[in-house]
Amino acid sequence: MDEPLERWAARREKRLRPVGEKKAVTLGAGHQRAAHVDPDAPRLILEWDGYAWQPVTTVEDYAAALRLLNPPPPAPPSQPVRPGSPLAPGTGRHRRT
């Protein structure tokens, strides 16, 4: 039974690695070991271009690689505090002066 090309392509896309995905590999001797074994070793950051892993940059250690691969989420936009709201500055009865 033949599968429609659109369905096959959609199933294949779910299986494939997304373009732009990054990973870090340990540089130096024993680079096949787990990342936590030598946390002070430099790391090479690679990016998937859809066909192969391409080198992007190097970082000094495991912690720097984690910061590059998992940046903190952006801070939510700050909302101005309305006068009279419970979070507004003031000297209400419950506040110490």
Side-chain angles (χ1 to χ4, degrees), residues 12-13 16-23 45-56:
R12 183 176 184 270
E13 282 300 315
L16 293 179
R17 182 181 321 281
V19 173
E21 180 180 336
K22 292 184 174 94
K23 73 175 183 176
I45 305 299
L46 301 171
E47 183 176 31
W48 182 251
D49 68 359
Y51 300 100
W53 288 103
Q54 301 296 324
V56 176

Side-chain angles (χ1 to χ4, degrees), residues 70-76:
N70 304 310

Side-chain angles (χ1 to χ4, degrees), residues 54-91:
Q54 301 296 324
V56 176
T57 188
T58 57
V59 292
E60 60 274 3
D61 57 14
Y62 180 62
L66 288 178
R67 285 191 301 271
L68 186 88
L69 296 176
N70 304 310
S78 63
Q79 299 287 334
V81 178
R82 294 177 304 202
S85 80
L87 300 176
T91 58

Side-chain angles (χ1 to χ4, degrees), residues 90-97:
T91 58
R93 292 183 314 175
H94 63 285
R95 299 177 192 240
R96 293 184 185 215
T97 55

